[in-house]
Amino acid sequence: MFYVKRMKFMLLPLVLCLLTTIGCQKDSDLFYDMLSQEEKENIDGSLNQPKDSTDVETPETPETPNTGISHPISGAFYVTTDGSSQNDGLSEAKSWSLEHAIKTATAGDVVYIKAGTYNALLLTVSNSGTPDNPITFMGYKNTPGDIDANNQNLLSPNTKGRRGTTVVSGGVSFDYKKSPSANEMPFLQKNYSRDETALTINGSNIRVENLIFSGYSTGIQINENSANTKIWNCIFHEQGNMNVGMRDTSNPDRYKGTGINNRGSKNADIQFCSFLNVEQNALQFQGAFSGTVSNNIVYSYNTKNGTDYMFLITRKGNTYSEGLVFENNTCERAESVPHGGHGFVVKNGGIGNRIRNFKVINTSVEVNFTNANNNLFENGIIKGRLYDQSDPLSGIYFGNGAHHNTFKNIIVDGTWGGVSCSAYKDGASNDPNINSNHPGNDNHFINLIIKNSQYALIFSESSANGSNEAYNNYFANCTFYNVEYGIRANRPNRNTRFYNSTFNTTRTFVIENNGYTLSRDTRFENCHFNGATGPEEIDNKYAAYNLIGGNPEFINASTAKNTDFDISGLELSNNSPLLNSGKDISDISTHVLKDFKGNTRHSFNIGAL
């Protein structure tokens, strides 16, 4: 006999924002409003995915190349804190000022900037280099070349775990949980003043390496006429007003503070940078096209108001951000920060972007609005702190009409809801065709491993913005292990489908609230159920086909309970009834043709592995 269980989704929109330009900036703090509406819970113990967008196999970003250039080079210019425009700049003794170097350097020039404090500068690069002869601004400590990010190669097996590590002199890794020092790198510093930018880049083929930006409203802004800008190994420290509380929405400084703002440039290359409690947007991409963003880390630690958006992909006017690749980046919110913020977010204007090999600690991965579509999130880990810190603000979220996005090969651990969705009145757009009153549709979730969480899936927040349905969202080959509940239904939903998925719940499979139910057309096909709910509970209520129950015969499932991201114990033993019990659903998405580990599926098991 066949039986099935349901999962639950959590509302994770965890604090979303209202954009000051046209993407998003203010945060509605909807989650906090919602807590008063939903019942308290014990937290202890139709269209297929387009084949020409997110179904395309994407290669790994190549390792960071060693340029082979030995510094210092002959004919380079020097900048020191006491330099002057009256000097020739050809040595430290006759160094330029930084202002003069920024104005004067032309194609092919290399400018070495010595460590020290550079106070209250507002700089603009207007000249351009060429692809073969860029303009380079490179920081150093004692001798040019003593800080070399080219040698990090974070994608190599030996150093891949150091993603996001900024390097200081001598190849020493910068500890991103400590304040940066002007003794290590050039330190551009200015007390915060609204709408002031340390470095504006209007030219093309500009390289900026090994600088620290502290204070200011924005660290670096790259404007739309710029192309091929390279920003490597820089530190962005406390942009914005650190003393404005997260609830002080009337304060004009509440939504200020940006590390890097890419306003429509093409082919930007941002690597090895650290963003330390940049208040509003650590990295913002507005109408940006192509480019690579890799090996960066964003750390939120201000207990008054932590970072709002860590990686924000949005639009500039009617120009959407497209074709960006984010690789090996990390987001982390410290335990003491009450503001949940948003980790990797495609919102109000992002299409066809790829976010891969990411790490998210105590915050979220999100797609929001109808013009957030055909994006791919793959090979990531999301760690929440629900059970050790009673903090629900992490997981995967889709909302306000986001559609045709794919989430693939992602581990989610310790969250309120592994996946959640909602629709709410976000001030980033008043256009109902963009800010839809339904959560989203035709999003695909493939090879997810959601474990040690309260809910697997949450349909939430029905009252915030109409009552339209979440529909046609598909889950394939997912493993839901040691979750309390399966699905939380707190808004209309229809035609949610689960294929080849295994559910292990410790309590009731479905929680239904405020008169809403899990739609009877919810489909469970070739799925497995064990724990508190067996397949018999599902078989008579929903569209259930080929369900099985009983012991899944994992190799050693206890390791998945006791460790954050070790999922080896969830592999199937040779006796597992889940072996070869799935069905081929590659007509829905070709992403299912490989399992969580990247191995080609010659037959279909139930679960991610």
Side-chain angles (χ1 to χ4, degrees):
M1 173 176 266
F2 302 126
Y3 302 94
V4 198
K5 283 174 81 166
R6 313 154 47 173
M7 346 193 282
K8 257 184 126 163
F9 281 55
M10 99 176 232
L11 156 79
L12 209 209
L14 342 135
V15 280
L16 280 85
C17 66
L18 311 158
L19 199 72
T20 61
T21 63
I22 201 161
C24 39
Q25 297 236 328
K26 293 188 179 178
D27 199 315
S28 66
D29 294 326
L30 175 62
F31 174 80
Y32 298 94
D33 298 334
M34 210 186 70
L35 285 182
S36 63
Q37 300 174 14
E38 301 200 355
E39 91 274 13
K40 303 296 181 185
E41 296 181 18
N42 184 0
I43 61 172
D44 48 13
S46 104
L47 288 178
N48 289 338
Q49 191 79 351
K51 297 294 179 68
D52 59 350
S53 56
T54 60
D55 274 350
V56 176
E57 290 294 332
T58 54
E60 294 282 327
T61 300
E63 288 192 0
T64 303
N66 190 316
T67 61
I69 298 174
S70 179
H71 297 279
I73 64 171
S74 177
F77 298 99
Y78 288 76
V79 167
T80 64
T81 56
D82 57 358
S84 169
S85 61
Q86 302 303 311
N87 296 331
D88 61 17
L90 295 176
S91 66
E92 277 193 15
K94 296 182 179 181
S95 60
W96 280 344
S97 66
L98 184 52
E99 303 99 308
H100 184 68
I102 293 290
K103 293 177 183 178
T104 304
T106 58
D109 285 343
V110 174
V111 177
Y112 296 127
I113 307 170
K114 190 171 185 178
T117 300
Y118 296 80
N119 279 314
L121 300 178
L122 303 177
L123 305 169
T124 299
V125 179
S126 297
N127 294 334
S128 291
T130 68
D132 294 331
N133 292 287
I135 302 173
T136 301
F137 300 96
M138 177 182 289
Y140 69 99
K141 181 178 181 179
N142 297 310
T143 303
D146 60 5
I147 305 172
D148 188 4
N150 288 285
N151 290 323
Q152 291 201 76
N153 290 335
L154 295 196
L155 294 182
S156 70
N158 293 331
T159 57
K160 190 171 182 178
R162 284 171 40 208
R163 63 181 64 173
T165 302
T166 305
V167 167
V168 293
S169 62
V172 176
S173 298
F174 167 68
D175 183 348
Y176 67 86
K177 293 187 178 181
K178 295 182 179 179
S179 294
S181 168
N183 294 323
E184 295 290 341
M185 294 165 67
F187 195 97
L188 280 69
Q189 173 181 278
K190 188 179 188 301
N191 292 335
Y192 169 78
S193 183
R194 196 177 313 141
D195 299 327
E196 288 187 339
T197 299
L199 179 63
T200 301
I201 298 176
N202 294 326
S204 293
N205 300 293
I206 307 298
R207 295 184 179 181
V208 178
E209 302 182 28
N210 315 331
L211 302 181
I212 300 169
F213 299 86
S214 183
Y216 294 93
S217 182
T218 298
I220 295 179
Q221 179 161 300
I222 314 169
N223 284 328
E224 61 184 349
N225 292 328
S226 177
N228 308 318
T229 297
K230 172 179 171 178
I231 302 173
W232 273 29
N233 209 61
C234 292
I235 299 172
F236 298 84
H237 175 245
E238 297 189 350
Q239 272 74 55
N241 187 338
M242 298 297 111
N243 295 313
V244 179
M246 62 176 289
R247 299 286 185 153
D248 190 4
T249 57
S250 63
N251 191 308
D253 292 330
R254 167 62 180 83
Y255 303 105
K256 300 291 183 180
T258 299
I260 295 177
N261 187 12
N262 182 340
R263 286 183 54 82
S265 81
K266 298 177 176 63
N267 301 319
D269 179 3
I270 302 170
Q271 296 197 53
F272 311 119
C273 294
S274 298
F275 299 81
L276 312 180
N277 215 94
V278 177
E279 283 292 89
Q280 182 56 35
N281 306 311
L283 299 96
Q284 178 173 242
F285 301 85
Q286 296 179 295
F289 182 77
S290 69
T292 300
V293 183
S294 62
N295 304 305
N296 304 287
I297 188 161
V298 179
Y299 181 50
S300 171
Y301 54 82
N302 184 3
T303 57
K304 281 194 173 182
N305 188 18
T307 302
D308 199 350
Y309 288 83
M310 297 186 179
F311 292 81
L312 173 61
I313 305 166
T314 186
R315 61 174 169 150
K316 176 177 174 285
N318 293 320
T319 302
Y320 293 175
S321 288
E322 298 186 54
L324 301 173
V325 175
F326 296 77
E327 182 97 57
N328 284 323
N329 298 290
T330 296
C331 302
E332 179 174 355
R333 174 171 66 102
E335 294 179 4
S336 56
V337 177
H339 183 48
H342 315 260
F344 294 94
V345 187
V346 183
K347 180 175 183 179
N348 195 12
I351 297 176
N353 302 288
R354 293 178 171 88
I355 298 91
R356 308 188 297 222
N357 303 315
F358 56 85
K359 179 187 290 185
V360 173
I361 301 173
N362 209 24
T363 186
S364 59
V365 171
E366 306 174 17
V367 286
N368 207 344
F369 292 10
T370 61
N371 53 10
N373 58 75
N374 291 288
N375 299 287
L376 172 63
F377 297 79
E378 64 177 334
N379 303 331
I381 55 179
I382 302 173
K383 171 60 179 175
R385 294 195 174 106
L386 178 68
Y387 292 103
D388 58 347
Q389 297 289 326
S390 298
D391 189 331
L393 303 178
S394 59
I396 298 171
Y397 169 77
F398 66 96
N400 295 319
H403 62 92
H404 291 92
N405 299 287
T406 295
F407 299 84
K408 170 187 173 185
N409 300 349
I410 300 172
I411 302 172
V412 183
D413 184 276
T415 66
W416 179 42
V419 179
S420 65
C421 65
S422 69
Y424 66 101
K425 294 180 179 179
D426 188 303
S429 176
N430 294 319
D431 183 347
N433 294 315
I434 294 176
N435 187 2
S436 175
N437 64 357
H438 76 90
N441 60 279
D442 294 277
N443 297 296
H444 289 181
F445 303 87
I446 298 169
N447 298 336
L448 300 189
I449 298 177
I450 296 176
K451 64 190 186 76
N452 305 331
S453 296
Q454 189 167 42
Y455 291 98
L457 169 64
I458 296 175
F459 296 107
S460 200
E461 224 190 324
S462 60
S463 62
N465 187 22
S467 57
N468 283 3
E469 306 154 315
Y471 63 93
N472 295 352
N473 295 293
Y474 295 177
F475 294 76
N477 286 95
C478 295
T479 296
F480 305 98
Y481 179 74
N482 192 36
V483 293
E484 289 188 53
Y485 307 95
I487 300 173
R488 177 185 179 91
N490 195 29
R491 71 170 304 115
N493 58 89
R494 64 178 167 88
N495 199 32
T496 306
R497 299 191 179 193
F498 297 91
Y499 299 97
N500 304 342
S501 294
T502 175
F503 301 86
N504 170 267
T505 56
T506 62
R507 302 174 76 170
T508 302
F509 190 73
V510 177
I511 297 290
E512 297 176 327
N513 296 302
N514 298 321
Y516 296 102
T517 62
L518 181 65
S519 174
R520 298 303 178 249
D521 67 0
T522 302
R523 186 182 187 95
F524 298 90
E525 187 164 355
N526 292 76
C527 289
H528 165 261
F529 298 84
N530 82 317
T533 301
E536 63 276 8
E537 285 189 36
I538 306 303
D539 203 28
N540 296 322
K541 288 186 178 180
Y542 307 104
Y545 306 90
N546 303 325
L547 308 185
I548 61 174
N551 189 337
E553 300 286 351
F554 294 128
I555 290 177
N556 185 5
S558 63
T559 61
K561 288 185 180 180
N562 301 327
T563 58
D564 292 342
F565 303 118
D566 180 1
I567 46 86
S568 60
L570 295 177
E571 293 193 45
L572 306 180
S573 69
N574 292 333
N575 298 320
S576 173
L578 279 59
L579 289 170
N580 303 317
S581 293
K583 63 173 292 186
D584 185 342
I585 55 169
S586 57
D587 58 326
I588 295 174
S589 173
T590 57
H591 282 297
V592 300
L593 293 175
K594 291 188 177 181
D595 66 16
F596 181 89
K597 299 172 69 175
N599 299 318
T600 299
R601 284 187 167 111
H602 300 290
S603 61
F604 279 76
N605 299 333
I606 292 176
L609 297 166

